[in-house]
Amino acid sequence: MKIALVGATGTIGQRILEEALSRGHQVTAIVRDPARVTKQSENLKAVTGDVFNADSLAAAAAGHDIVISAYGPAHGQEEKLAQAAQALVDAAKKAGVSRLLTVGGAGSLEVAPGVQLVDTPEFPAEWKGIALAHRDALEVYRRSELDWTNLSPAAFIQPGEKTGQYRTEENLLVTDAEGNSRISVEDYAVAMLDEAERPRFSRKRFTVGY
């Protein structure tokens, strides 16, 4: 596939880029500064794009099969996430790209019927802003007419081992036998590319964990 990847220099974006290239896909990294994309591959090119500007994104994404966004706002700028989500939706339409895959958040996943993780008493206060921002961005995708998919990670996601193994749910937080909810960034990227290649969650949010 020809993949337009937004946010390719971030922690998650770098792993998605590596996974996509390892599978032989052609990737266009859409970034503010192409010089920050240091990965070398004949299947990779880096172009300038503004995640808040639909015209800028559309120009970069035209001719691709799918747009994957790993954009994450800086701390204190969480409100920009929904703005970026709308720009991505508008850009995909303008570019004629029907499929949009995006990195989501775990906070809006349910831990009990009708109870979201972000609304539980033990949810860390410092994570609440970004969790609510991801929930708002998810609503932007749900209102769109695109073939979108939003992939929420487990409660804890960090760089680690690539096992190629994970479990999925749609709106329910995935936990292991001890009640832990975790996924490595590498296996999250595997799940993202698996969904890109073999869609199972069209116009849905889903989540992965061990």
Side-chain angles (χ1 to χ4, degrees):
M1 289 187 294
K2 291 183 177 180
I3 299 172
L5 176 60
V6 178
T9 58
T11 300
I12 295 178
Q14 287 182 51
R15 271 66 173 195
I16 292 173
L17 174 61
E18 290 278 357
E19 185 66 23
L21 291 174
S22 75
R23 298 184 185 206
H25 298 299
Q26 297 178 38
V27 182
T28 298
I30 304 174
V31 290
R32 284 180 298 177
D33 180 8
R36 292 186 60 204
V37 180
T38 56
K39 176 75 176 177
Q40 298 292 317
S41 170
E42 62 181 10
N43 284 334
L44 171 65
K45 67 176 179 178
V47 300
T48 302
D50 181 354
V51 73
F52 304 112
N53 186 304
D55 290 334
S56 168
L57 289 176
H64 290 75
D65 300 307
I66 188 171
V67 174
I68 300 178
S69 174
Y71 166 73
H75 183 67
Q77 299 182 341
E78 289 84 358
E79 76 284 350
K80 290 188 174 183
L81 191 59
Q83 181 185 344
Q86 189 61 60
L88 285 162
V89 167
D90 294 343
K93 288 181 184 176
K94 288 174 183 284
V97 180
S98 63
R99 289 198 69 204
L100 173 65
L101 268 62
T102 56
V103 171
S108 58
L109 293 166
E110 291 190 350
V111 293
V115 180
Q116 294 184 358
L117 180 63
V118 68
D119 295 325
T120 59
E122 60 270 23
F123 192 84
E126 65 269 23
W127 293 0
K128 199 150 192 172
I130 189 62
L132 295 176
H134 274 295
R135 186 163 71 182
D136 291 343
L138 179 57
E139 288 307 310
V140 173
Y141 302 129
R142 284 175 169 158
R143 291 194 302 267
S144 79
E145 299 173 355
L146 292 174
D147 178 6
W148 63 270
T149 301
N150 185 252
L151 177 51
S152 290
F156 293 98
I157 177 170
Q158 59 192 84
E161 184 183 0
K162 176 181 172 179
T163 69
Q165 304 295 315
Y166 58 86
R167 293 182 295 132
T168 64
E169 288 282 355
E170 286 195 17
N171 292 304
L172 190 67
L173 185 73
V174 177
T175 57
D176 62 18
E178 287 75 44
N180 299 310
S181 178
R182 61 187 184 84
I183 192 77
S184 71
V185 183
E186 288 76 6
D187 281 335
Y188 177 92
V190 170
M192 181 71 83
L193 267 297
D194 285 351
E195 177 64 21
E197 293 176 349
R198 297 180 297 279
R200 297 168 54 209
F201 299 97
S202 177
R203 294 188 58 79
K204 292 180 180 179
R205 179 264 295 277
F206 78 107
T207 184
V208 293
Y210 294 130

